[in-house]
Amino acid sequence: MTTLHTPPSQHLFLVDDDRLILTTLACALTQVGYQISTAESADDAENWLAQGHQRPQLVILDVHMPGQSGLTLAQRLRELDHIPFMMLSAYSDQATVAQATQQGALSYAVKPIDPAQLIPVIEAALARANELQELRTTRLQLQTALDNERDINVAVGITMMQHRLPRKAAFDLLRQGARSQRCKLIELAQRIITAAETINV
């Protein structure tokens, strides 16, 4: 298992038990500017990832390998911080392609493959991976905004009850409190909720 250092670019992680294919692809992709790391089995790949190496932008893995299969590793990649991957295989049967797709593969290429022909496939997979990451980031931001809005509303309700104020007056009181304490409104709201929960306990 080796890491080939190249000028900073997209980091690809190649996983294939065929050392000739692994070396050929690694050399060809390094020459066009990719940073390449390699592993010769799914178990080696998992160990490499567990050691905290730089997160690859894309994993390119063989479907059929001795021991743990590429499809099993694919499932782990999906669960492990949504690491994007594409599959390589000597087989193009519909069942194998369907399994790879169900696991979340961004692309599927049949071996033997010319490295020059693989590059556009890799670029398309990287572009799709970026799109999916942007969607996940947007969804997380929206969820955070909704959670913050809920907490502020709960804190306003607590303030209304404690001070017997109408909603707008309670909100204004919270906003003034956040300014005087030089903190964000959501931070003050969460402190109020925590204090109320402590009292109720």
Side-chain angles (χ1 to χ4, degrees):
M1 186 163 45
T2 59
T3 297
L4 307 178
H5 298 288
T6 61
S9 179
Q10 300 281 6
H11 181 201
L12 308 180
F13 187 25
L14 310 182
V15 185
D16 198 311
D17 64 300
D18 188 321
R19 189 169 296 180
L20 178 60
I21 291 176
L22 198 63
T23 303
T24 301
L25 286 179
C27 290
L29 295 173
T30 298
Q31 288 175 358
V32 295
Y34 289 108
Q35 179 185 346
I36 304 297
S37 298
T38 66
E40 295 182 13
S41 71
D43 290 332
D44 283 348
E46 281 200 23
N47 290 335
W48 186 90
L49 290 166
Q51 291 171 13
H53 292 286
Q54 177 190 353
R55 183 183 188 274
Q57 272 79 40
L58 182 70
V59 178
I60 302 172
L61 66 150
D62 187 18
V63 173
H64 300 284
M65 292 182 286
Q68 185 181 174
S69 74
L71 291 170
T72 302
L73 177 60
Q75 183 177 359
R76 295 292 300 275
L77 291 172
R78 186 176 61 181
E79 297 168 354
L80 182 67
D81 198 25
H82 302 288
I83 296 178
F85 61 91
M86 60 172 286
M87 310 295 290
L88 292 179
S89 177
Y91 306 93
S92 59
D93 61 282
Q94 290 185 343
T96 304
V97 174
Q99 278 185 290
T101 302
Q102 288 172 358
Q103 294 293 359
L106 298 180
S107 188
Y108 188 98
V110 179
K111 299 186 294 184
I113 186 168
D114 183 344
Q117 295 176 335
L118 186 60
I119 291 171
V121 179
I122 292 172
E123 289 298 321
L126 285 167
R128 180 60 179 155
N130 288 335
E131 291 173 0
L132 292 173
Q133 182 58 43
E134 288 173 2
L135 286 173
R136 280 192 292 270
T137 300
T138 299
R139 185 164 60 237
L140 180 60
Q141 290 172 340
L142 287 173
Q143 187 60 53
T144 299
L146 288 172
D147 290 344
N148 288 349
E149 183 71 19
R150 180 198 62 207
D151 287 350
I152 289 171
N153 285 333
V154 170
V156 168
I158 292 170
T159 304
M160 289 171 65
M161 289 188 295
Q162 286 180 340
H163 299 277
R164 297 181 182 180
L165 294 172
R167 181 174 183 79
K168 185 179 184 308
F171 179 79
D172 289 343
L173 182 62
L174 279 182
R175 189 165 54 184
Q176 291 170 9
R179 287 175 181 169
S180 65
Q181 296 180 38
R182 295 182 179 179
C183 67
K184 293 180 180 179
L185 182 58
I186 181 60
E187 294 172 355
L188 178 59
Q190 289 170 344
R191 288 205 294 266
I192 289 172
I193 294 171
T194 299
E197 290 173 345
T198 302
I199 292 172
N200 289 334
V201 169

